[in-house]
């Protein structure tokens, strides 16, 4: 019995394969469409895509086009081809603004770019593009059922950018470019006032100011020591029991000692 079932399945598979190859070679777009829809419904998205690619130009403007281009977009999305899916969803939303699927398409088109967003340590061009696309969706459809998910994705993307900016800023400290570190950290703190990384940023600002000061030429040292002292005060005011308290106090002691050289 098992052999009979296996043989039947093999026969069906071979028949299906033959039908697919015949459709690929056919000049009849209706035949291609019918099989593409059948393959899509069966979850065979890669095969459906090949047929959709062949018939897409011929179906533009036809009554079946809206459904076909929706399936075409979804097939790319379900096979994780996010660049192509994003393009197709955006095109669908633009070409069929009255479609009942327009909000879904607009949201998924924006979401595709978020799926392309890399880890924070890499270049964030696609992350910025995803934020732009999602914000445009939120502005266009402020009452959409997809709004909660869109806002959640936006928070994830913005957190990634925030972490990237922070890592770039302290990177200057790591390579001992303390002047650039101070500028970058000031910008980070100003741009992200509510960041969870503020304590760390304030500490690295102190560390950068401290090292810049103690390694300065004499004519610039006093001014830079005062900047470092202010950085210490800012950190302690922000969090008196900071995890960096011991290191910060040690730096302050050195700063105070060196400042005494400038008192008359």
């Amino acid at each position: 019995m098992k052999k009979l079932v296996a043989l039947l399945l093999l026969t069906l598979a071979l028949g299906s394969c033959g039908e697919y190859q015949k459709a690929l070679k056919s000049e009849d777009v209706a035949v291609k469409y019918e099989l593409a829809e059948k393959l899509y419904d069966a979850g065979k998205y890669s095969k459906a895509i090949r047929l959709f690619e062949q018939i897409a130009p011929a179906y533009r403007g036809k009554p079946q086009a809206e459904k076909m281009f929706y399936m075409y977009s979804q097939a790319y999305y379900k096979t994780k081809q996010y660049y192509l899916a994003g393009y197709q969803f955006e095109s669908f939303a633009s070409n069929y603004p009255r479609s009942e699927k327009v909000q879904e398409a607009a949201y998924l088109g924006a979401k595709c770019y978020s799926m392309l967003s890399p880890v924070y340590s890499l270049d964030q061009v696609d992350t910025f593009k995803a934020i732009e696309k999602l914000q445009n969706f939120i502005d266009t459809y402020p009452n959409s059922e997809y709004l909660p998910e869109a806002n959640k994705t936006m928070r994830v993307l913005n957190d990634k950018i925030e972490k990237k900016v922070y890592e770039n800023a302290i990177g200057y400290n790591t390579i001992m470019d303390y002047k650039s570190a101070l500028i970058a950290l000031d910008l980070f703190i100003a741009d992200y006032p509510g960041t969870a990384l503020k304590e760390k940023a304030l500490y690295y600002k102190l560390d950068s100011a401290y090292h810049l000061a103690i390694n300065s030429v004499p004519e610039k040292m006093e001014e830079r020591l005062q900047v470092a002292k202010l950085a210490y005060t800012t950190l302690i005011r922000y969090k008196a029991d900071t995890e960096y308290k011991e290191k910060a106090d040690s730096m302050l002691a050195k700063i105070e000692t060196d400042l005494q050289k400038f008192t008359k």
Side-chain angles (χ1 to χ4, degrees):
M1 183 65 180
K2 289 183 178 179
K3 289 184 177 179
L4 182 60
V5 172
L7 182 61
L8 179 61
L9 290 173
L10 178 61
T11 301
L12 289 172
L14 290 173
S16 175
C17 183
E19 182 184 14
Y20 177 64
Q21 292 300 326
K22 185 183 292 185
L24 284 175
K25 296 174 183 177
S26 174
E27 298 295 325
D28 190 336
V29 292
V31 169
K32 292 178 186 289
Y33 178 90
E34 183 179 353
L35 183 57
E37 184 176 7
K38 188 189 300 183
L39 290 168
Y40 175 86
D41 290 339
K44 297 179 180 179
Y45 303 116
S46 295
K47 285 187 174 181
I49 285 170
R50 288 192 65 189
L51 291 168
F52 286 139
E53 287 173 342
Q54 289 185 348
I55 64 177
Y59 270 84
R60 293 187 189 281
K62 290 189 175 182
Q64 306 98 317
E66 180 181 328
K67 183 179 180 180
M68 193 218 74
F69 280 107
Y70 174 79
M71 291 189 293
Y72 192 13
S73 304
Q74 281 284 8
Y76 275 132
Y77 183 77
K78 292 179 185 296
T79 53
K80 299 182 179 181
Q81 299 183 66
Y82 295 120
Y83 275 118
L84 294 170
Y87 171 79
Q88 289 297 337
F89 276 127
E90 287 187 331
S91 178
F92 179 92
S94 175
N95 291 328
Y96 305 101
R98 296 182 180 178
S99 170
E100 63 177 18
K101 300 288 189 181
V102 67
Q103 284 193 33
E104 179 189 5
Y107 171 65
L108 290 177
K111 186 178 179 181
C112 284
Y113 291 97
S114 74
M115 302 300 287
L116 293 164
S117 172
V119 295
Y120 78 91
S121 57
L122 299 178
D123 188 282
Q124 294 301 304
V125 170
D126 284 322
T127 305
F128 282 113
K129 187 177 291 185
I131 290 171
E132 179 186 347
K133 299 289 184 181
L134 281 164
Q135 189 60 59
N136 184 60
F137 170 80
I138 291 168
D139 293 341
T140 305
Y141 304 103
N143 300 312
S144 172
E145 64 180 291
Y146 301 101
L147 193 62
E149 188 178 346
N151 284 326
K152 182 179 178 180
T153 304
M154 282 282 279
R155 286 193 294 272
V156 171
L157 296 172
N158 280 314
D159 285 348
K160 190 180 292 187
I161 295 297
E162 180 182 313
K163 193 170 183 180
K164 176 69 172 179
V165 174
Y166 168 77
E167 292 290 343
N168 284 344
I170 66 168
Y172 289 115
N173 177 278
T174 302
I175 62 173
M176 296 184 289
D177 183 356
Y178 300 118
K179 189 181 294 186
S180 295
L182 282 171
I183 295 170
L185 286 163
D186 274 340
L187 288 172
F188 173 77
I189 293 165
D191 289 342
Y192 301 95
T195 178
L197 297 167
K198 188 169 184 176
E199 181 185 355
K200 293 180 182 291
L202 289 172
Y203 167 72
Y204 280 106
K205 180 180 176 181
L206 166 60
D207 186 74
S208 298
Y210 169 78
H211 283 96
L212 182 63
I214 64 173
N215 292 295
S216 291
V217 293
E219 57 267 27
K220 293 185 178 180
M221 184 175 288
E222 182 180 11
E223 180 184 351
R224 288 176 175 175
L225 286 168
Q226 292 292 355
V227 170
K229 186 175 180 178
L230 179 59
Y232 170 88
T233 302
T234 305
L235 171 62
I236 299 304
R237 280 180 180 170
Y238 177 73
K239 191 171 185 182
D241 61 343
T242 175
E243 63 178 292
Y244 303 106
K245 184 71 162 60
E246 186 176 342
K247 291 180 179 178
D249 285 347
S250 177
M251 283 186 253
L252 179 64
K254 171 66 173 170
I255 291 167
E256 296 282 21
T257 298
D258 286 355
L259 276 173
Q260 289 175 8
K261 300 173 185 177
F262 298 95
T263 58
K264 296 180 181 179

